[in-house]
């Protein structure tokens, strides 16, 4: 019998560059640079998503497009990048994340390729969150600073050190891990679902792609599709997490408050902005990651 039945291929029709194929010195130089470049593109939709999730009903913005217009009107271009400098600290957690993913996936026992991607994605998320959550909390405080200012071209900015100092004085180190459990409940399954979906979409698109379409196009399409699935599944918990990190309270109390304010529809708050951020970012991130891997292949394997 053909081995195709018993042993699924890694990525049908797509060349897979493994972790052991990489020159790590090159990878840890070019990897962070590519992450910063992608963040420049995806940060504005993330900021809008955060503001929509934090607001009560439609007190400030009537939706994603309305938020985009009002931020530009009252805060200018800089308003879209509040907290961007602090957010780039997550480049460190990104490297922890992807290193964990690749190592776990390369060393798992016999599982299907999709199963390996799922488990490795779960482990990678857990490894990265310890760094990501404190940065998220500081960044979110910066994102919402001054959003109620009504004067045209007024701009209110809180620096990351000042925000961090206020958090520490008020709640100590615990304040930097507010919503940690909600983050685990959001990002860990989302990460596993993303990588498993990315593999499955890659298989599907690779199988039916027209002749001459390069691997990177299939990978970009797979990243977008995987991001759509993961965002739809995780958005309710992400809304609760964001509100909890900005306003405080327990997961249960925040959930009750959201439902009381807006009904069950509250769990779709910021979904359009989330998809606007995650779908293109899923494509950009995976394309940059795959291109960096190709750039960093060991010279003897080229």
């Amino acid at each position: 019998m053909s081995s195709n039945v018993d042993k699924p291929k890694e990525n049908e029709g797509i060349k897979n560059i493994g972790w052991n194929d990489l020159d790590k010195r090159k990878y840890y130089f070019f990897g962070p640079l590519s992450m910063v470049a992608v963040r420049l593109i995806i940060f504005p939709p993330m900021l809008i998503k955060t503001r929509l999730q934090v607001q009560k009903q439609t007190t400030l913005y009537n939706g994603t497009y309305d938020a985009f217009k009002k931020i530009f009107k009252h805060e200018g271009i800089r308003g879209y990048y509040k907290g961007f400098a602090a957010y780039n600290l997550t480049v460190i957690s990104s490297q922890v994340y992807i290193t964990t993913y690749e190592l776990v996936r390369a060393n798992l026992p016999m599982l299907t390729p999709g199963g390996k991607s799922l488990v490795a994605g779960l482990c990678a998320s857990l490894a990265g969150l310890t760094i990501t959550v404190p940065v998220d909390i500081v960044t979110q405080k910066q994102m919402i600073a001054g959003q109620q200012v009504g004067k045209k071209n007024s701009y209110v900015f809180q620096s990351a050190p000042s925000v961090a100092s206020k958090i520490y004085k008020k709640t100590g180190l615990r304040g930097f891990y507010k919503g940690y459990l909600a983050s685990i409940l959001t990002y860990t399954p989302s990460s596993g679902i993303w990588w498993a979906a990315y593999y499955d979409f890659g298989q599907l698109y690779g199988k039916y792609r027209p002749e001459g379409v390069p691997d990177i196009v299939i990978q970009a399409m797979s990243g977008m599709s995987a991001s759509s699935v993961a965002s739809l599944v995780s958005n309710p918990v992400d809304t609760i997490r964001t509100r909890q990190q900005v306003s405080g309270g327990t997961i249960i109390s925040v959930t009750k408050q959201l439902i009381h304010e807006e009904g069950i529809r509250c769990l779709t708050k910021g979904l359009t902005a989330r998809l606007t951020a995650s779908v293109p970012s899923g494509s950009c991130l995976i394309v940059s990651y795959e291109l960096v891997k190709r750039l960093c292949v060991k010279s003897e394997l080229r």
Side-chain angles (χ1 to χ4, degrees):
M1 290 289 291
S2 170
S3 61
N4 290 350
V5 176
D6 301 319
K7 297 179 181 179
K9 294 179 181 179
E10 270 294 308
N11 249 340
E12 185 174 348
I14 296 178
K15 297 171 185 174
N16 182 51
I17 300 173
W19 185 244
N20 294 327
D21 301 329
L22 299 178
D23 181 329
K24 305 304 189 297
R25 288 178 299 177
K26 284 185 179 180
Y27 175 77
Y28 285 119
F29 175 76
F30 289 110
L33 289 179
S34 70
M35 290 296 103
V36 173
V38 170
R39 279 162 167 72
L40 276 169
I41 300 171
I42 67 174
F43 193 80
M46 287 180 55
L47 180 142
I48 292 171
K49 179 213 65 156
T50 298
R51 291 191 175 190
L52 290 173
Q53 289 179 332
V54 169
Q55 74 171 354
K56 295 181 179 180
Q57 297 182 339
T58 56
T59 51
L60 295 173
Y61 311 114
N62 292 319
T64 301
Y65 182 63
D66 184 56
F68 183 86
K69 290 193 301 181
K70 286 180 177 176
I71 291 171
F72 181 77
K73 179 180 178 181
H74 298 303
E75 303 171 59
I77 293 293
R78 293 184 302 169
Y80 298 124
Y81 285 94
K82 284 182 175 178
F84 181 71
Y87 180 67
N88 277 307
L89 290 174
T90 59
V91 168
I92 300 171
S93 64
S94 295
Q95 299 310 301
V96 172
Y97 175 94
I98 205 64
T99 300
T100 303
Y101 172 80
E102 291 287 0
L103 286 174
V104 171
R105 195 174 190 282
N107 293 285
L108 278 173
M110 293 301 294
L111 292 174
T112 64
K116 288 182 180 181
S117 296
L118 175 64
V119 175
L122 294 172
C123 294
S125 181
L126 287 172
L129 280 175
T130 301
I131 301 171
T132 301
V133 170
V135 176
D136 268 353
I137 289 174
V138 172
T139 302
Q140 287 164 359
K141 295 284 188 182
Q142 291 181 279
M143 283 177 169
I144 65 173
Q147 63 174 333
Q148 298 188 47
V149 175
K151 296 179 181 179
K152 186 176 181 179
N153 295 329
S154 58
Y155 182 82
V156 175
F157 175 76
Q158 294 183 14
S159 68
S162 68
V163 171
S165 177
K166 289 176 184 177
I167 294 171
Y168 183 76
K169 287 179 181 178
K170 186 175 181 180
T171 54
L173 289 176
R174 289 186 310 164
F176 294 101
Y177 283 92
K178 189 188 297 180
Y180 185 64
L181 177 59
S183 294
I184 290 175
L185 294 175
T186 301
Y187 291 124
T188 302
S190 175
S191 174
I193 290 168
W194 194 97
W195 284 106
Y198 173 68
Y199 172 81
D200 288 338
F201 279 118
Q203 290 284 86
L204 178 64
Y205 297 152
K207 184 176 180 181
Y208 294 105
R209 66 172 162 182
E211 185 178 351
V213 174
D215 289 352
I216 202 69
V217 173
I218 301 301
Q219 290 163 333
M221 292 171 57
S222 301
M224 293 176 68
S225 300
S227 295
S228 299
V229 172
S231 295
L232 289 168
V233 172
S234 64
N235 192 73
V237 183
D238 184 53
T239 301
I240 295 167
R241 175 194 67 85
T242 303
R243 178 71 73 91
Q244 184 184 15
Q245 289 182 333
V246 172
S247 305
T250 65
I251 293 176
I252 295 174
S253 66
V254 170
T255 303
K256 286 182 177 179
Q257 183 182 7
L258 281 166
I259 293 174
H260 175 72
E261 290 172 359
E262 303 178 57
I264 200 67
R265 290 176 55 201
C266 69
L267 299 180
T268 63
K269 285 173 70 72
L271 179 59
T272 301
R274 182 175 172 82
L275 288 169
T276 302
S278 66
V279 172
S281 71
S283 178
C284 290
L285 284 168
I286 203 63
V287 166
S288 64
Y289 175 57
E290 295 292 350
L291 289 176
V292 165
K293 286 207 298 183
R294 294 178 190 190
L295 181 64
C296 299
V297 169
K298 292 177 180 177
S299 56
E300 62 269 26
L301 299 177
R302 287 185 182 279

